[in-house]
Amino acid sequence: PEEKAARAQAIQEAFRQAALVPLGVARDALQAMALGRQVIAGGNPNAASDGAAGVLAARMAARAAVYNVKINLGSIKDERFTAELKAEADRLETEADALEAEALKLLKL
């Protein structure tokens, strides 16, 4: 019984890490999106499309990472942990949507 409990605990910890790592990726992707927005807003106008490409690439990274978080949460039994991570993943997804829209509005084509 002790070995089974230790194994179950180790599996749950692995699932937690499997959700936390992509959550960090989503956070980093939002920072990259913000940098791309800065390129569009204040950089060389000829590089604005490069900034937009960066925003879009980072947006897809954020979206994929959030999906990965949410998929992994289904395997975690700690309801408080899953609720907290889901709330943060939802917030990051909403922020990414807003940042994408804001950045692309700045793009003058």
Side-chain angles (χ1 to χ4, degrees), residues 3 12-13 18 22 27 31 42 50-51 56 58 64 69 76 85 87 94:
E3 287 179 18
Q12 284 299 300
E13 183 56 33
R27 290 180 193 131
Q31 290 178 355
D50 297 324
L56 294 173
V69 170
I76 299 171
L85 260 62
T94 299

Side-chain angles (χ1 to χ4, degrees), residues 38-98:
Q38 287 179 349
V39 170
I40 296 168
N44 182 324
N46 294 327
S49 61
D50 297 324
V55 167
L56 294 173
R59 176 66 187 99
M60 288 300 98
R63 181 167 296 202
V66 165
Y67 290 169
N68 199 322
V69 170
K70 290 180 178 181
I71 285 170
N72 285 312
L73 291 179
S75 299
I76 299 171
K77 294 178 183 178
D78 182 341
E79 292 178 11
R80 180 177 172 198
F81 180 85
T82 58
E84 289 173 3
L85 260 62
K86 183 178 182 317
E88 184 170 359
D90 288 344
R91 180 186 59 78
L92 291 169
E93 191 167 24
T94 299
E95 284 182 30
D97 288 342

